Amino acid sequence: MKALFLLQWQRLRREPVLFFAMVLMTILFVAVVGGFGSISSIKVPTVIDDSVSESKKEFWLERLNETDGYSFEEMEELEAREKIAMGNKPFALLVMENNYQIWMLSESPELTMLEQVVRQVYMNENRLATVESVVDDDQFRSQVENRLSEPALSVTTEMVDNDNAAPTYNHQIQTLFGMTLFFSIYTIIFSLSKIAEEKRTGTMNRIILSPVKKWQVYFGHVSYSFVLGILQIILIVLLFKYLFNFDVGESTGALLVIIASFTFSVVAIGMLLLGFTKTQEQLNSVVPIVSVSMAMIGGAFWPIEAVSNQFILAASKVNPITYAMDALKGVSMYEQGLGELLEPIAIIVLIGVLCMGVGVNLIERRS
Amino acid sequence: MLETTDLRKVFKSTVAVDEVNLYLNKGESVGLLGPNGAGKSTTISMISSLSMPTSGDVKWNGESVVKNPNVIRNVLGVVPQEIAVYEELTALENLKFFGKIYGLKGETLDQKVEDALKIVGLEEKQKELVKNYSGGMKRRINIAVALLHEPEIIIMDEPTVGIDPQSRNYILEMVRQLNEEKGMTVLYTSHYMEEVERLCDRIYIMDHGKVIATGTQEELTSILSSEESILIELDRPYPNLVKALSGLEEVLQVVEHDKGIKLIVTKGSRLLGKVFQIAEQEDAQIAGINVQVPTLEDVFLHLTGRKLRD
Ligand SMILES: Nc1ncnc2c1ncn2[C@@H]1O[C@H](COP(=O)(O)OP(=O)(O)OP(=O)(O)O)[C@@H](O)[C@H]1O
Ligand SMILES: [Mg+2]
């Protein structure tokens, strides 16, 4: 059985392209979608209208740049319009004396956020200006600022079921785990397709004729795919944690348990697919369909919280990715420990056990 | 020592193997000859316990292989029709792996691997990847894997398909040595009658799932004792000549070749004179003429009305 397990590594050493391609794809996608480096702000080309006086210009830029998440850079109108037209920037801001405009090509979540931020800045300023004109006090503004920095009353938001500070949604972590899990499905199921390949080339018959037992053959393949899948996920998580300072949380043990149970469930789903398909080609062609739909439904591409379709929500309940994403984000964003994650982990393992049982049965019945 | 009784295999609508009875004695070399789709591979996979017969039985030393596959698995070496090795690995790595799953290890493993490499003549290429091998070398590593655990009986399914004459000769000579010098029992499958004629003590001819003839080469060709064949070489096809010749009373069968025609005729019919005469009438250029004793090919032709290979 050791020989069967080691054989697969020997074969991987000779043909490692697929594995490294998957690792590379993950890195690429996390980099592009999630963005490297720690929390980066979105740069907004900002055009100052001629109606704004030179002194007011600095004032507006300062106010705007006090906000989180966006940095406003002054730019000539022509340049800003060109950037949008070329698709280099999704939007730009035009600052006028008492108003503003946002130029854009298409809708995006960032745009909605930007609108809110800018509106808030203008509203605050208008309010202050109105009061100022009535009160007619030079000291008014500085007084308001002082009061704001030393509030008489401060409000803290807390979640009912969470001891920690208000949850901070982290787009980078969502992308890191989403892409990592998504691409690991490919590696795992493609590595399992070696079982179908052995049947096709006839090496499986040779093994069957040897004193090795049938279950040992499957065990060799399954354990190989399992270890390979875990390896890929850990490799990528470590890479982003240490090289790009992604905050994956403190609980390494919990992460490991989640990753292992998720990998097991994907191996099991792979065995199920192997049982349903007749040839290696068939299997290879269903892998992309299965992995993409699992990832979409399970919230690997975007947070499942953003989904409202009842059908997709129902489907997400039998999808190990849903629970794995939940648990991984729980550990890294909300500092949850193993104790709080037992339920999702148990469900993942349960899905795995069921698929594995049905899968092995189907494969056996076929031969 | 190996025996099949009324072996039958039905796939949905096709009867692949139909009531096949055959036996092999210890140390014998037996050929299974038949055209594509005759049911050779299916017969072999049932004998080697890889597939269940629809009905009938396979017995090894009196014990049913169908009921207990292990009685034959331990003493059996199978060379499958396809190249069943890991092509991305070297020959050495392949042999080591297959040796290990037979429980070989340490020095014994190294020794047996070396022996197998020597038998197939791949010692010098053992560290090369199989995928870079030539067709002949792939066939040889395919055989080496089956020899590793020194089986008592080796079953080879068309081990020389699609390779150059030199490699083919090498393999045939190797099989002869295994059989004659090491006393290994051999079941050799082929659709090349020359191979079976050269290697095998006894021959089964299969067609459409049935054994249609069996015996030694002499016994089989004596089926045709009352016939002989005349090979006529021509510079181009002459349809009229074929028609005229088939009209002759003594001619039993006319077969067109790429280079001419073959007549199966009643023995001693002294037709040559007539053949030349007709050729002259039809304006046909005869490049050569040859009277032959029957071959297994002729036997097959006689029994089925078809050639072994098209
Ligand atoms: N798994 C299968 N399912 C359905 N039909 C099959 C199967 N295997 C073989 N057959 C059919 O059974 C018949 C015998 O096939 P088999 O492979 O035994 O022939 P063969 O003598 O080995 O031919 P070849 O020289 O081409 O290898 C063929 O008609 C083939 O189509
Ligand atoms: Mg065959």
Side-chain angles (χ1 to χ4, degrees), chain A residues 99-247:
Chain A
N99 208 346
Y100 63 90
Q101 272 182 16
I102 292 175
W103 302 331
M104 48 113 180
L105 263 187
S106 59
E107 295 281 345
S108 67
E110 287 84 4
L111 180 72
T112 325
M113 292 282 286
L114 179 74
E115 270 180 325
Q116 277 178 19
V117 166
V118 176
R119 187 186 321 138
Q120 194 64 46
V121 169
Y122 267 84
M123 253 162 67
N124 281 346
E125 185 50 37
N126 274 341
R127 223 180 290 158
L128 282 176
T130 318
V131 178
E132 213 171 13
S133 67
V134 178
V135 177
D136 196 22
D137 181 349
D138 290 353
Q139 300 296 304
F140 172 71
R141 242 173 221 275
S142 54
Q143 275 178 15
V144 170
E145 257 158 47
N146 280 341
R147 287 285 163 85
L148 278 174
S149 58
E150 286 167 21
L153 210 71
S154 72
V155 179
T156 331
T157 321
E158 274 187 31
M159 301 290 277
V160 181
D161 62 352
N162 197 327
D163 302 338
N164 304 310
T168 45
Y169 171 70
N170 184 334
H171 178 59
Q172 283 186 330
I173 293 294
Q174 157 77 31
T175 314
L176 170 65
F177 287 131
M179 290 300 156
T180 307
L181 297 192
F182 171 62
F183 283 109
S184 75
I185 299 180
Y186 280 83
T187 301
I188 294 168
I189 303 187
F190 278 138
S191 73
L192 274 180
S193 78
K194 296 267 174 203
I195 296 180
E197 186 190 295
E198 297 223 39
K199 286 192 175 160
R200 179 170 55 79
T201 60
T203 46
M204 186 63 108
N205 278 346
R206 291 209 130 120
I207 300 175
I208 290 171
L209 287 177
S210 80
V212 172
K213 299 275 180 302
K214 204 62 161 293
W215 68 266
Q216 294 177 310
V217 184
Y218 290 130
F219 193 81
H221 276 282
V222 163
S223 53
Y224 160 75
S225 298
F226 178 69
V227 175
L228 185 69
I230 291 188
L231 220 74
Q232 174 172 333
I233 299 177
I234 290 180
L235 188 75
I236 289 166
V237 172
L238 286 182
L239 195 85
F240 278 92
K241 180 179 158 93
Y242 288 109
L243 244 50
F244 305 112
N245 289 321
F246 277 43
D247 181 15

